[in-house]
Amino acid sequence: MSGSRLLLSTLSLSAMATASLLAATPAFAADAAANAASADVGDANADDDASGAGGAIIVTSAKTTRSATELPAAEIQKILPGISAFGAIQTLPGVMYQTADPWGNNEQNMSLFIHGFAINQLGYTLDGLPLGDLSYGNITGLTPQRAVISENIGNVTVATGAGDLGIPSLNNLGGAIETTSSDPLKRMGVQIAQTVGSYDTSRTFARIDSGTFGADQGSSAYIAAARQRARAWDFNGKQGGWQVNAKYVHENDAGKLTAYFDYSDKQEPNEDGTTTYVNPTTAAQAYAPYVRPYLYPDWQAALDYVDANGNTPTAEGSNYRNYFSAALRTDYLGYLKYDANLTDNVSWSNQAYYHHNDGQGVVAGPLGQSLSVAKAYYPTLSIGELVDATGGSGYITRVTQYRVDRGGLVSTLRAQVANHAIEFGGWYERNSGTIWRNWYALDVDNPTDPYHWQHDPLFTQYQMEYRTDTLQLHLQDKWEVSDKLTVEGGVKTSLVRAKGWYPIQPIAGSYSGMVGGLPSGTITTSNWFLPAIGAKYDFNGSEQAYFNVQKNMRNFGTAPWSTGSQAAFDYFKESGKPETSWTYEAGLRSRHVFPGSFLSSFDAQVNYYHVDFSNRLLAVSTTVGGLGGSSITGGTTSLFNVGGVTTDGVDAAFTLGLGGVVSIYEGLSYNNSKYNDDYSNGTTTYATAGKQIPGSPKWMSKTVVSANIGPFQAQYTGMYIGKRYATYTNDGPVKSYFMSNGRIAVDLPADLLHLQKASLALNVTNIFDIKGASTISTSQPSSVYAVYPIAPRQWFLTLSVGM
């Protein structure tokens, strides 16, 4: 079936599902008209629930000259209680988020694309605080799910084209994702939610709000905690951890003081990607199982799986099974923010923040797969002696350990001068990060637990130190030319000084691609003129037209220090150019409310965008197979400037409110992102010109249908993800899929239970239990790639009460 025919079939299925739900009358969020109501109504609802007012997906946002979509708290929790911010926004147009667990929490195999830009090319904030680079294993930031408990999210706004000039980010070549934590409620209260479900899931959330207090009744606070435990769906691994949030707000005529704290301690079972050869030439290459479950906790099965020398079955090739793998992360995040009202027309916001992280990425695998490393550190030992030296089990444990300490200040001065809203802001951050690669014995008589920190390594393969100093400034003017026309323009500057070095170097022969040692040095990335200009024209209070043009730049990150030699680093330092993008977007918005009519509200946006992406860097690993397409032994990365990428695309979305009962949302996206040039690694030229960037689909469709009938609610979500490519040369296509999720809920008689509110909800993910590829891992230009599986159908039952 062609892509267009499959898309039409998908849309037909969405329409049939919509009709079925309309006939059955179970439903989705509060009527979209509520979102168009006054701010007073929103504030009143926010007092009833920490998650804020219930409302449909808002496809026309207040981001005046940019395309943006807002997802309110109530909608986030309807998708799945406890879902991550990223897991929630996958319903929005132009956004594709993939991971192997239904909450969207697992970071090792997460994938995010917005308008063809990948997860490390976007900007992220929480309450204006920069979250950093969210690549897996980074030492510069943390994901939203570790920064705020899901139930404490106030809303998530996704700018799909280009983020605001003031976004504190080094990566936002494309859009930005702004997550906001909810403020404390004005009344004293307690909220408790308990979720149980598939694979022994148990999630507990509790929050206590103080209500207003103090002499002027201007203070309020809350403390909240979440505990989640679940078994991995394809093996007996454990997903879990604790998270605590606390927030204090004091507000009066002088300004608003906010203090926020987050503690997150999480353990995630990793998932091994399936290495897939486009044209396998051996039986081992052709072996490509749908899942590669770990053998943990069956230690005897693990011992029986390898031979006496720690070798895996030859027939399984790169898709052998490891004993266990897990990601352990502990984070402390806090900020102090004061928004001062200096005069009636001048305000000054200052936010100081600090983030500390300790982490371990643990893999216990067969010794035979890591033999090159072990032999390098024990060159005089025979194979049998190596087995004994590493615990006698035929296994060895590799741990990548992380430390992050970063702090900074975000400052913004705003002034209203006649019909000009002038904003001048700055961001400074100092980041200090360390990565250790340690190897541990796995004792045949006393195997270690993957969910506790590993201690006493056999040897440290390498240690990397990384420091950055960042300064970003912006100046912009929002000019209200008339009641109908608004023009917004400004400029941003960015300066990053990054230094990296290796106090401990790998031994020769232990690290693929290394020549003479891993590099050290300093790289400064700067651009003093990153302009933006946009405008919005309001035709009649309901229809708007807008456009925005903006240039952005991405910092190199740690990639240059992953090259294989000092010479390669020095060459890149002299000749390498940072990735930059020019984003052009234009669109139409419409918002209408029809009180008393069957069609009670209509909210729509159509957005066209064009991106000229320059100096696109491809990172090609020197190893194949194992974890995410690269070997467990690790290796260097080669960076290639493949020139430009040209993107053209369209997003169209609408939300209909029907009779104050039913809400229907549809988001359709088309994205055509292609490389402009071929590239050469010095010996081979790869035909990448005209090829679609890997991992990002051309077509996506998102449907959300919901209704409220008295105390009963229901919601259906359908997502079509079109065909993707898994290699730079597009010789590895990955099939499209359509996934359905659902929810039914009932409000319980709270008065009879002497509660403020009570509800019971059943969520089912992947209703039809489809199989396919979620995240794609691309590490080679052609011939081979890795894919991760889609999580199977799961159910979750949640009881929520408010007191």
Side-chain angles (χ1 to χ4, degrees):
M1 183 180 289
S2 70
S4 58
R5 289 176 61 197
L6 182 55
L7 178 62
L8 290 174
S9 299
T10 298
L11 295 177
S12 298
L13 178 59
S14 299
M16 288 193 302
T18 300
S20 299
L21 279 170
L22 290 175
T25 65
F28 171 36
D31 175 41
N35 296 297
S38 69
D40 291 339
V41 174
D43 291 343
N45 287 339
D47 273 352
D48 291 335
D49 191 318
S51 62
I57 298 169
I58 301 172
V59 299
T60 60
S61 177
K63 301 286 184 180
T64 55
T65 67
R66 295 173 174 84
S67 169
T69 310
E70 180 182 317
L71 195 63
E75 294 312 302
I76 293 172
Q77 296 309 309
K78 285 181 179 179
I79 296 170
L80 180 62
I83 196 169
S84 70
F86 287 168
I89 66 172
Q90 63 185 319
T91 59
L92 301 185
V95 178
M96 187 195 73
Y97 179 68
Q98 307 275 356
T99 191
D101 77 292
W103 294 280
N105 284 331
N106 197 304
E107 299 177 27
Q108 177 251 1
N109 52 72
M110 69 178 177
S111 172
L112 174 64
F113 282 91
I114 298 179
H115 288 182
F117 287 104
I119 193 168
N120 59 356
Q121 297 166 334
L122 302 166
Y124 312 93
T125 64
L126 171 69
D127 297 340
L129 177 158
L131 295 180
D133 181 352
L134 302 192
S135 303
Y136 179 67
N138 77 80
I139 49 173
T140 61
L142 79 167
T143 56
Q145 55 262 41
R146 286 191 273 142
V148 61
I149 297 173
S150 171
E151 290 85 347
N152 289 333
I153 294 175
N155 62 66
V156 180
T157 300
V158 181
T160 52
D164 287 345
L165 277 178
I167 291 287
S169 171
L170 301 177
N171 309 299
N172 61 319
L173 284 170
I177 300 172
E178 299 174 67
T179 304
T180 302
S181 66
S182 60
D183 276 351
L185 301 183
K186 302 302 182 184
R187 60 167 180 81
M188 182 181 295
V190 176
Q191 297 175 60
I192 300 173
Q194 176 64 49
T195 300
V196 296
S198 297
Y199 303 100
D200 304 323
T201 292
S202 176
R203 176 183 173 83
T204 304
F205 168 76
R207 170 168 157 164
I208 301 173
D209 280 85
S210 68
T212 57
F213 64 92
D216 60 357
Q217 291 294 294
S219 295
S220 56
Y222 68 73
I223 186 168
R227 169 65 163 158
Q228 181 162 327
R229 296 181 64 85
R231 179 166 57 87
W233 59 266
D234 58 343
F235 77 107
N236 198 18
K238 301 175 185 177
Q239 181 190 61
W242 285 93
Q243 192 166 8
V244 176
N245 291 165
K247 191 171 186 179
Y248 168 82
V249 172
H250 181 270
E251 190 168 10
N252 57 24
D253 293 341
K256 180 180 179 181
L257 173 67
T258 305
Y260 178 82
F261 172 75
D262 169 72
Y263 165 76
S264 172
D265 183 44
K266 64 177 287 187
Q267 304 89 40
E268 293 282 352
N270 288 334
E271 188 82 28
D272 270 346
T274 297
T275 300
T276 304
Y277 288 84
V278 176
N279 295 301
T281 57
T282 66
Q285 288 185 357
Y287 176 68
Y290 182 64
V291 295
R292 291 175 59 195
Y294 299 105
L295 294 161
Y296 177 87
D298 193 339
W299 183 231
Q300 187 57 53
L303 295 176
D304 294 339
Y305 179 71
V306 297
D307 66 16
N309 295 327
N311 294 312
T312 56
T314 303
E316 296 185 0
S318 297
N319 290 317
Y320 62 89
R321 295 175 68 180
N322 287 303
Y323 178 52
F324 63 66
S325 180
L328 313 179
R329 299 289 188 272
T330 302
D331 292 275
Y332 301 86
L333 175 70
Y335 72 78
L336 190 65
K337 183 177 183 179
Y338 189 64
D339 301 304
N341 301 321
L342 301 182
T343 71
D344 290 343
N345 296 317
V346 180
S347 66
W348 189 17
S349 174
N350 287 281
Q351 181 183 44
Y353 64 90
Y354 178 74
H355 169 222
H356 173 78
N357 165 263
D358 292 303
Q360 285 195 345
V362 186
V363 185
L367 178 63
Q369 297 292 333
S370 306
L371 197 58
S372 61
V373 177
K375 286 290 291 181
Y377 284 87
Y378 298 100
T380 63
L381 299 186
S382 66
I383 299 299
E385 290 171 329
L386 272 177
V387 172
D388 292 338
T390 54
S393 63
Y395 287 82
I396 191 170
T397 301
R398 190 202 76 180
V399 174
T400 308
Q401 187 166 328
Y402 311 95
R403 176 198 61 84
V404 179
D405 285 286
R406 63 189 186 101
L409 175 68
V410 180
S411 183
T412 306
L413 182 67
R414 298 178 178 91
Q416 186 69 43
V417 181
N419 55 349
H420 292 267
I422 300 171
E423 178 177 302
F424 174 67
W427 167 47
Y428 171 76
E429 180 179 278
R430 168 68 171 175
N431 179 75
S432 171
T434 306
I435 299 177
W436 297 266
R437 174 62 59 81
N438 294 321
W439 295 79
Y440 298 79
L442 193 57
D443 194 308
V444 65
D445 297 318
N446 186 28
T448 54
D449 186 315
Y451 305 107
H452 292 86
W453 287 66
Q454 309 293 309
H455 299 283
D456 302 321
L458 292 170
F459 56 87
T460 298
Q461 188 177 9
Y462 64 79
Q463 175 188 344
M464 178 193 179
E465 296 289 340
Y466 183 67
R467 308 287 186 269
T468 60
D469 287 283
T470 298
L471 178 63
Q472 184 174 293
L473 304 173
H474 75 278
L475 175 65
Q476 68 179 29
D477 178 17
K478 180 180 177 182
W479 178 23
E480 300 286 349
V481 181
S482 69
D483 291 342
K484 293 182 177 295
L485 178 62
T486 301
V487 178
E488 188 172 323
V491 63
K492 177 172 68 175
T493 68
S494 182
L495 172 66
V496 183
R497 183 181 183 274
K499 180 180 181 181
W501 70 98
Y502 289 83
I504 300 176
Q505 288 275 359
I507 288 178
S510 72
Y511 205 61
S512 174
M514 186 183 73
V515 179
L518 297 176
S520 63
T522 301
I523 293 180
T524 299
T525 308
S526 63
N527 194 316
W528 298 103
F529 189 70
L530 298 168
I533 182 70
K536 178 198 74 172
Y537 187 80
D538 192 327
F539 293 98
N540 53 21
S542 296
E543 274 73 40
Q544 300 174 357
Y546 66 90
F547 81 89
N548 189 68
V549 179
Q550 190 162 330
K551 184 179 183 181
N552 280 310
M553 179 187 73
R554 176 175 176 254
N555 175 47
F556 291 125
T558 59
W561 289 270
S562 298
T563 55
S565 68
Q566 188 65 47
F569 174 88
D570 292 340
Y571 176 79
F572 184 86
K573 179 178 178 178
E574 293 301 320
S575 61
K577 298 178 180 179
E579 295 177 328
T580 59
S581 65
W582 276 99
T583 299
Y584 308 83
E585 57 179 329
L588 295 171
R589 301 184 180 115
S590 180
R591 170 172 262 184
H592 290 271
V593 179
F594 310 104
S597 301
F598 175 70
L599 176 61
S600 53
S601 64
F602 175 74
D603 187 11
Q605 177 172 284
V606 178
N607 181 65
Y608 166 76
Y609 57 92
H610 172 87
V611 181
D612 290 321
F613 183 176
S614 302
N615 301 312
R616 176 69 168 98
L617 295 177
L618 293 190
V620 179
S621 174
T622 57
T623 59
V624 176
L627 298 169
S630 61
S631 169
I632 189 174
T633 57
T636 62
T637 299
S638 298
L639 294 176
F640 299 99
N641 187 326
V642 296
V645 174
T646 299
T647 296
D648 288 283
V650 176
D651 291 334
F654 68 82
T655 302
L656 297 178
L658 302 179
V661 174
V662 175
S663 172
I664 302 173
Y665 161 82
E666 171 65 31
L668 182 65
S669 305
Y670 171 77
N671 176 274
N672 187 26
S673 297
K674 292 185 176 181
Y675 296 111
N676 296 340
D677 307 291
D678 295 339
Y679 92 90
S680 174
N681 63 5
T683 58
T684 304
T685 298
Y686 293 96
T688 52
K691 299 299 193 298
Q692 187 83 3
I693 64 169
S696 180
K698 277 191 175 182
W699 287 100
M700 291 188 291
S701 173
K702 320 288 181 66
T703 303
V704 182
V705 183
S706 54
N708 295 332
I709 305 296
F712 299 99
Q713 306 146 37
Q715 176 168 300
Y716 167 82
T717 303
M719 291 187 293
Y720 169 80
I721 303 298
K723 182 176 75 172
R724 294 166 286 165
Y725 292 100
T727 64
Y728 300 126
T729 57
N730 289 182
D731 63 346
V734 174
K735 293 181 179 179
S736 62
Y737 69 84
F738 183 85
M739 181 185 291
S740 297
N741 302 321
R743 172 185 185 264
I744 56 174
V746 59
D747 293 330
L748 303 176
D751 292 343
L752 296 179
L753 301 172
H754 303 289
L755 298 170
Q756 289 283 340
K757 62 176 184 176
S759 65
L760 188 66
L762 174 67
N763 289 75
V764 180
T765 61
N766 193 2
I767 294 173
F768 300 110
D769 203 24
I770 65 162
K771 291 181 170 60
S774 60
T775 293
I776 297 171
S777 177
T778 301
S779 63
Q780 300 296 316
S782 63
S783 304
V784 62
Y785 57 92
V787 292
Y788 293 88
I790 293 173
R793 177 173 53 238
Q794 298 180 51
W795 64 268
F796 305 97
L797 186 67
T798 303
L799 174 65
S800 302
V801 299
M803 294 178 276

